Amino acid sequence: MKAFVIGKDGKKFIREVEKPEIKHPKDVLVKVKSAGICGTDLHIYKGEHPMAVGQDRIPGHEFSGEVVAVGAEVKNLKPGDRVVHEPIAYCGECYACTHGQPNVCRNLKVTGCNIDGGWQEFYCAPERQWHKIPDWVTWTEAACVEPYTIGGQVCSQADVQAGDVVLIHGDGPIGLICGDTAKHLGATVIISGHRAGRLQLAKEIGMDYAVNSRETDLKTLVNELTDGEGVNVILDCVGLGRIMDDNLDMLSPAGRFVPVAVAPFTINNPTNILAKQLKIVGSRLQNKQFAPVIARYALYKDSIDRLVTDTFAFEDSDEAFQYNLARHPETGKVVILFDGKE
Ligand SMILES: [Zn+2]
Ligand SMILES: [Zn+2]
C-alpha cells in the first residue's frame, strides 16, 4: 500500500510501505478515506516539529475511514462502519492518567507526531481510538471531527458558558472552530485577525464580530462592546505573548485566558490576576471530546462545509501541503480525499 512520507532529510514522497494487519484482539483495521491538514502537519512538513524531527514520518492525525477488519475482542465496530481516529494513546498509569487527564499522559503517543499517522491507505489501531460517525457525514466533513474536539477541549478548559463574551485572537481554522464551538455553547464571539478573506469566512460561519486587529484598537472595542465589563474569555490561537498585559486588562473579573498557540509571554502587571481572580489555563489535544462533538456534529455541518475550502487527491498530497503553506488569504481548511472524491 502507499503512504505519504516526510523524510528526515526534508524530502517528501509517496512510497510503498507494508500494509498493517490486526495483531491484537482489540485492533481495528481501517481503509483511510480522508485526512485534514493541520498546523501541526505543516510544522512536521517544514521539519520543525519537536516530536517528529530527525525521523521519517507519515503525518496525519485528523483522519477518517471505513472499517475493513476487526480483532476477536472488538465489541462495537464491524467491517463497513465509518469511523474517525482519536490520535492519542496513553499509558493509563501515570499521574495524569490516574487523575482523569490522559491527554497529558507522561507517555503519550500522538498519531502523526511521535508515531506514524493517517497519510497511508490503511491504518490499524485499538478500538478505543476509533469513533463511529453517522452516514450523513461526508468524508470531507469527517476530517474536521478531530479539530472540533480541539475546539471542545479549549472551550471546556476555558469554561465557556452561555452568555459569555469570548475574544479569539486568530482567524485560522482552529480560531474559527473554537469560535463556532463557543457560539453553539451560547457565547458571543469576537474574532480578531488580519486577513480579509478569513474575516469574511468568520462572518459567514456566524461569528458575532470579525475585526481587523491591524485597524482596530481591541481594548477600546472590548470596552465598548461589554460596557466596560471586559470579555469573560480570551483564547489566543495566534501566540500573541507580547500583548499579555493587554489581555489581562481586557478580561472581566473571573475571566479566563487560554494560550492555545504557544508563545513566550511576560506578565508585568500581575495585580490583574489577583484583583480579578483570573485564570490562565492550559489546553492540550483533547480529553473525551469525540463523543460529544460527534453527537453535536449536525450543528457544525454548515460551518464545516464553509471552512473546508479545498480538497486534493492523495496522490497530490505534496501539492496540498505546498498550497496550504502558501497561506492564500481565502484558504480555510485543506482536506485530502484518498479516493480523489467523496
Ligand atoms: Zn490538528
Ligand atoms: Zn499516562
Side-chain angles (χ1 to χ4, degrees):
M1 69 161 193
K2 292 188 174 67
F4 176 67
V5 183
I6 297 170
K8 58 173 177 274
D9 56 1
K11 292 203 179 83
K12 289 90 183 175
F13 43 86
I14 288 177
R15 78 166 177 221
E16 280 297 322
V17 298
E18 213 171 310
K19 184 180 164 186
E21 46 189 54
I22 306 270
K23 288 201 176 104
H24 187 276
K26 290 196 166 78
D27 278 351
V28 172
L29 181 65
V30 167
K31 184 169 195 322
V32 179
K33 291 288 189 177
S34 67
I37 299 183
C38 168
T40 304
D41 301 310
L42 296 175
H43 281 303
I44 295 171
Y45 187 89
K46 291 191 282 181
E48 290 169 356
H49 198 287
M51 284 172 101
V53 88
Q55 44 211 321
D56 289 353
R57 177 64 67 234
I58 300 170
H61 58 277
E62 304 176 353
F63 61 98
S64 72
E66 189 177 311
V67 175
V68 290
V70 299
E73 289 175 20
V74 169
K75 289 195 183 86
N76 299 311
L77 291 174
K78 58 180 189 315
D81 283 346
R82 306 164 82 247
V83 290
V84 291
H85 180 74
E86 173 166 357
I88 60 169
Y90 41 85
C91 75
E93 288 164 11
C94 70
Y95 182 84
C97 282
T98 54
H99 289 74
Q101 297 181 51
N103 53 318
V104 286
C105 169
R106 278 188 79 84
N107 307 301
L108 197 68
K109 294 217 170 13
V110 185
T111 308
C113 292
N114 56 356
I115 60 167
D116 280 336
W119 241 275
Q120 46 187 319
E121 291 181 289
F122 292 87
Y123 200 88
C124 189
E127 182 178 19
R128 185 163 58 79
Q129 285 184 265
W130 299 108
H131 299 269
K132 233 163 130 166
I133 50 167
D135 286 344
W136 58 261
V137 178
T138 65
W139 295 121
T140 306
E141 291 163 352
C144 293
V145 170
E146 197 276 345
Y148 266 82
T149 67
I150 303 301
Q153 180 74 11
V154 168
C155 287
S156 157
Q157 289 296 97
D159 193 21
V160 172
Q161 315 254 347
D164 281 354
V165 181
V166 178
L167 168 64
I168 299 177
H169 298 302
D171 52 15
I174 283 294
L176 297 182
I177 286 171
C178 287
D180 197 28
T181 306
K183 268 306 289 179
H184 283 99
L185 288 167
T188 297
V189 178
I190 308 163
I191 293 277
S192 165
H194 63 265
R195 288 169 280 185
R198 288 279 182 81
L199 292 173
Q200 177 61 28
L201 211 162
K203 282 187 196 141
E204 285 174 31
I205 66 165
M207 299 299 105
D208 298 280
Y209 304 93
V211 298
N212 189 324
S213 56
R214 293 186 179 164
E215 295 164 359
T216 314
D217 181 53
L218 273 181
K219 273 173 132 175
T220 307
L221 178 85
V222 162
N223 216 14
E224 280 170 17
L225 290 179
T226 63
D227 283 336
E229 170 81 354
V231 290
N232 313 112
V233 171
I234 297 180
L235 310 176
D236 181 3
C237 300
V238 179
L240 293 173
R242 63 191 157 74
I243 65 158
M244 194 56 190
D245 281 295
D246 287 344
N247 282 325
L248 302 185
D249 277 345
M250 286 190 284
L251 279 171
S252 72
R256 289 84 68 197
F257 175 84
V258 180
V260 181
V262 186
F265 60 73
T266 312
I267 296 170
N268 295 308
N269 180 14
T271 313
N272 264 328
I273 301 178
L274 280 73
K276 296 199 277 189
Q277 197 163 283
L278 303 178
K279 284 184 182 154
I280 299 173
V281 198
S283 183
R284 184 166 188 215
L285 299 157
Q286 59 73 40
N287 184 14
K288 297 190 178 67
Q289 294 290 334
F290 273 84
V293 163
I294 292 168
R296 295 165 66 84
Y297 218 49
L299 293 176
Y300 306 134
K301 183 182 162 57
D302 288 347
S303 300
I304 292 165
D305 293 347
R306 184 62 189 87
L307 276 170
V308 178
T309 50
D310 303 271
T311 58
F312 287 79
F314 171 68
E315 292 71 29
D316 303 323
S317 291
D318 193 42
E319 193 188 330
F321 272 89
Q322 293 287 349
Y323 176 83
N324 210 337
L325 278 172
R327 293 167 69 86
H328 302 290
E330 315 294 326
T331 307
K333 190 86 185 160
V334 177
V335 170
I336 296 290
L337 292 171
F338 279 66
D339 296 335
K341 56 179 171 30
E342 270 302 327

